Amino acid sequence: MSVLATLNQRRAQARIEQRPGAAVYAFLAVILAASLFPFYWSFLIGSGDAGTLSDTGMSWIPGGNFLANARSVMDNESVNFWRALGNSVVVSSVISISVVFFSTLAGFAFAKLRFRGQHGLLVFIIGTMCVPTQLSVVPLFIAMSTFGWTGTLGAVIVPGLVTAFGVFWMTQYIAQSLPDELVEAARIDGASLFQTFLHIAVPAARPAAAMLALFTFIMSWTNFFWPFIVLNQSNPTLPVALATLQANYFVDYSIVLAGVLLATVPLLVLFVFAGRQLIEGIMRGAIKG
Amino acid sequence: MATEAARRGFVLRESLGRWDVKLSPYLFISPFFVVFALVGLFPLLYTGWVSVHAWDLLGGEQGWAGSGNFAFVLGQRQFWVALRNTLSIFLLSAVPQLLVATAIAAALDTNLRNKTFWRMSVLLPFVVMPVAVTLIFGSMFGERYGLVNRTLADIGLGPIRWHTDPLASHIAIATMVNFRWTGYNALILLAGMQAIPRDLYEAATIDGATWLRRFFRITVPQLRPTLIFVIITATIGGLQIFDEPRLYDQNGLGGEDQQWMTMTIYLYKLGWTQLNFGRAAAVAWLLFLVVVAIGLVNLAITRRIATSEERAT
């Protein structure tokens, strides 16, 4: 028995220490190349001129026009690049903060408090994740035009203020990571539920909140369909501005792809600094979901 | 006197506390329900209502239409073309994506050097917005000067008409979807793989099972819940596809002969270029039904595959 146990243990160690063969690295290197190539391609075309894309003897070394092309993007009046950038920052930040706050609050209630209908309400919230957004686009647009909100950032922000995914995510995390004793101790000390939330639940939920914020920020930064419908060219977010850019410059892809790179850089920077947390968040969410 | 005040204070605090315990939980979860009621539930019911009325973008409601909008939409050739295109693009993206993502996840599940580096490299495309992905890949899939056709010509193959032939355009659009989502799904599958108890593998290794055998007999069946999750989210997202076909050409209406016009593009066309909201709402409901139907089919298939493999072991 003990011989078998040590044998098993040695096997387990061998498994841990064993590095994969070259084929695995080669395969991953191909995937890495496929991930990077479109970025290089954009820079290659974006640093050329109107003729680069159709040049059959095209060089694989970038040209020197990137800044000039970037300038054409920024100076174009109908694209409104700076305004789009500012709007994207505002929309994504407000939505992220709001989603994190309201989801943590609701997650705390679902995970640590007892109230009638608790289970049914949580199931209902999860159920709403399966309803496609397209289903509500028509009436939501009618409602927004009735309120006179079309063309304003509010029309993009309000529908995103809190998400079912966020509530579900925070409920899972708080249920696991916040000990009931801490909540009870705060209650015995006379703290109200909201005070308990602020001083006990919020600090405990911080790692999950950071991941949720990151994920929500990326989702709203890249979101196109609803902003495209409800906003207009004069007050766009970045994806909407890119659509305008394409419509204006579809013959000159060097300018279009320079604009694409400019719109992508902010999230690339975010990814460099917070990519690890994003990976952790996606993987953690997967096991629970 | 003083004790009386203290007692009263205590009672007050106690009753406040009771209300706090009773009411606060509902207050805490109310933001979701308020927002959902405004932008989810109300629109949902309203879509139903609009879909049975004649409705004009400028003039509003124009009277009862009954099932007229549905009958009109279902009688249009365009609707069925849109349905075909949506399903075709969905299959061309979901199936290869799932296979490659599983392969990537299996590669990442080994004891790699620089794990974080490889995981990040796989996830990198996820931060590029679909609109940007489409513009980048659109420039590669040009019919005359595109990189892809030029490369094909170099190896002696004829040009593919990426913007004329329906199937070719679907492949191009599916490539864009796959670029952005394969790595993301690979990470989810990786998380699923890491949750599989290691002693299952130990036992199989002792029994002399090869890597391939272990993969199909242990990994795949054990991954079932994760696979269902990935497939369901891919279905809901994939069938609503809009960004890629919208920006695949500069007109954005799905091609001259509707080669790549998807359901959501059709919805947009009815609502915002033909200004007919009743018909657009009808398409929205039909799209919802398609999502539910495909979701159920997927669930049935996943269940069958996984259980038959479990039985085989």
Side-chain angles (χ1 to χ4, degrees):
Chain A
M1 185 64 204
S2 70
V3 176
L4 195 65
T6 43
L7 193 71
N8 271 344
Q9 208 171 8
R10 206 174 300 153
R11 278 230 174 80
Q13 271 165 1
R15 210 192 122 76
I16 289 166
E17 279 156 21
Q18 200 181 352
R19 294 282 180 194
V24 170
Y25 286 104
F27 172 63
L28 287 175
V30 170
I31 301 296
L32 171 65
S35 292
L36 288 178
F37 180 72
F39 292 94
Y40 184 71
W41 171 259
S42 313
F43 188 67
L44 191 68
I45 304 297
S47 61
D49 55 40
T52 309
L53 191 65
S54 50
D55 180 5
T56 43
M58 189 185 85
S59 155
W60 283 97
I61 295 157
N65 289 338
F66 182 76
L67 291 179
N69 289 333
R71 168 136 271 165
S72 307
V73 174
M74 294 168 187
D75 290 349
N76 188 296
E77 274 171 23
S78 56
V79 171
N80 266 314
F81 179 80
W82 293 111
R83 178 145 206 177
L85 182 66
N87 283 346
S88 277
V89 170
V90 169
V91 167
S92 305
S93 307
V94 171
I95 288 182
S96 301
I97 293 168
S98 157
V99 163
V100 166
F101 178 77
F102 288 131
S103 301
T104 312
L105 192 60
F108 170 64
F110 278 122
K112 293 294 158 184
L113 306 179
R114 299 285 158 262
F115 51 97
R116 202 169 291 191
Q118 185 168 22
H119 183 70
L121 289 170
L122 185 62
V123 169
F124 176 81
I125 291 181
I126 294 167
T128 62
M129 283 197 265
C130 301
V131 180
T133 45
Q134 259 71 338
L135 202 50
S136 52
V137 159
V138 169
L140 201 53
F141 183 82
I142 295 175
M144 290 297 175
S145 20
T146 312
F147 300 149
W149 278 24
T150 46
T152 67
L153 294 187
V156 179
I157 292 173
V158 169
L161 282 178
V162 51
T163 59
F165 172 77
V167 174
F168 171 65
W169 168 254
M170 294 311 297
T171 303
Q172 292 285 335
Y173 187 84
I174 294 174
Q176 281 178 0
S177 62
L178 178 62
D180 289 334
E181 295 79 39
L182 271 181
V183 180
E184 275 158 32
R187 298 288 297 143
I188 290 167
D189 287 349
S192 73
L193 283 180
F194 190 71
Q195 283 166 335
T196 312
F197 164 73
L198 274 187
H199 301 299
I200 306 290
V202 169
R206 203 162 279 161
M211 292 172 207
L212 181 61
L214 201 59
F215 191 76
T216 310
F217 193 90
I218 293 175
M219 291 314 267
S220 62
W221 186 274
T222 55
N223 188 20
F224 177 64
F225 185 56
W226 175 243
F228 170 70
I229 282 180
V230 84
L231 297 180
N232 50 48
Q233 279 188 16
S234 58
N235 193 27
T237 56
L238 275 176
V240 179
L242 281 187
T244 311
L245 182 68
Q246 182 219 26
N248 288 4
Y249 279 107
F250 72 93
V251 282
D252 188 349
Y253 254 99
S254 65
I255 292 174
V256 173
L257 289 186
V260 161
L261 279 178
L262 289 179
T264 309
V265 163
L267 279 196
L268 274 183
V269 173
L270 186 70
F271 185 71
V272 168
F273 287 104
R276 289 175 86 111
Q277 277 97 312
L278 185 64
I279 289 169
E280 212 187 313
I282 291 172
M283 290 183 60
R284 189 189 272 275
I287 307 176
K288 308 298 167 322
Chain B
M1 201 61 180
T3 47
E4 175 66 9
R7 203 185 60 86
R8 218 177 287 161
F10 183 73
V11 169
L12 182 70
R13 232 177 59 196
E14 178 128 293
S15 76
L16 269 181
R18 212 174 305 131
W19 279 110
D20 187 28
V21 168
K22 273 201 176 143
L23 226 67
S24 293
Y26 295 104
L27 276 178
F28 291 178
I29 62 169
S30 63
F32 174 84
F33 289 96
V34 171
V35 171
F36 178 73
L38 286 176
V39 305
L41 189 65
F42 159 72
L44 218 64
L45 301 174
Y46 204 56
T47 311
W49 201 66
V50 172
S51 70
V52 293
H53 284 81
W55 203 291
D56 186 280
L57 180 61
L58 303 173
E61 196 206 318
Q62 310 281 312
W64 174 257
S67 58
N69 288 320
F70 288 94
F72 172 85
V73 166
L74 289 172
Q76 293 290 302
R77 199 186 138 267
Q78 290 203 9
F79 172 81
W80 298 101
V81 172
L83 180 62
R84 177 202 72 182
N85 293 344
T86 307
L87 293 178
S88 164
I89 294 172
F90 169 66
L91 285 177
L92 286 169
S93 51
V95 176
Q97 195 187 120
L98 207 63
L99 294 176
V100 176
T102 311
I104 295 175
L108 291 174
D109 194 29
T110 58
N111 187 26
L112 289 168
R113 266 174 235 281
N114 303 321
K115 279 195 179 65
T116 309
F117 168 79
W118 292 111
R119 286 177 188 178
M120 281 182 76
S121 75
V122 157
L123 191 62
L124 181 64
F126 179 63
V127 301
V128 190
M129 48 182 95
V131 168
V133 173
T134 310
L135 294 177
I136 297 171
F137 279 81
S139 70
M140 296 183 198
F141 283 109
E143 291 201 353
R144 254 188 298 176
Y145 303 116
L147 173 72
V148 181
N149 273 353
R150 223 183 296 155
T151 313
L152 285 176
D154 286 345
I155 55 173
L157 294 172
I160 292 174
R161 306 204 295 161
W162 298 110
H163 284 80
T164 317
D165 179 48
L167 185 63
S169 70
H170 298 174
I171 292 173
I173 289 170
T175 308
M176 301 166 190
V177 178
N178 292 340
F179 170 72
R180 184 154 188 256
W181 289 100
T182 305
Y184 178 88
N185 283 325
L187 287 183
I188 292 182
L189 291 169
L190 171 63
M193 285 180 188
Q194 294 189 336
I196 300 173
R198 293 287 158 181
D199 44 346
L200 283 179
Y201 292 104
E202 302 294 332
T205 316
I206 292 170
D207 290 348
T210 61
W211 181 87
L212 214 62
R213 211 179 157 77
R214 279 183 317 220
F215 181 77
F216 283 107
R217 291 288 159 83
I218 300 174
T219 313
V220 175
Q222 288 282 322
L223 266 184
R224 193 174 100 182
T226 319
L227 278 172
I228 292 178
F229 174 76
V230 169
I231 290 173
I232 294 294
T233 41
T235 309
I236 297 172
L239 293 174
Q240 300 185 63
I241 188 167
F242 178 80
D243 304 8
E244 292 87 352
R246 171 74 197 175
L247 286 159
Y248 190 51
D249 71 358
Q250 70 278 7
N251 298 323
L253 292 176
E256 253 163 67
D257 292 316
Q258 290 96 41
Q259 294 98 320
W260 62 90
M261 184 185 73
T262 59
M263 297 271 281
T264 309
I265 296 274
Y266 185 48
L267 184 161
Y268 176 80
K269 201 165 159 179
L270 287 174
W272 282 270
T273 65
Q274 297 179 11
L275 310 182
N276 193 319
F277 275 0
R279 287 171 187 169
V283 171
W285 270 105
L286 292 167
L287 176 61
F288 180 50
L289 291 181
V290 172
V291 171
V292 171
I294 304 285
L296 290 176
V297 170
N298 279 338
L299 207 60
I301 294 176
T302 336
R303 200 163 274 172
R304 283 253 325 252
I305 290 175
T307 43
S308 70
E309 257 157 28
E310 250 160 359
R311 221 174 290 135
T313 27

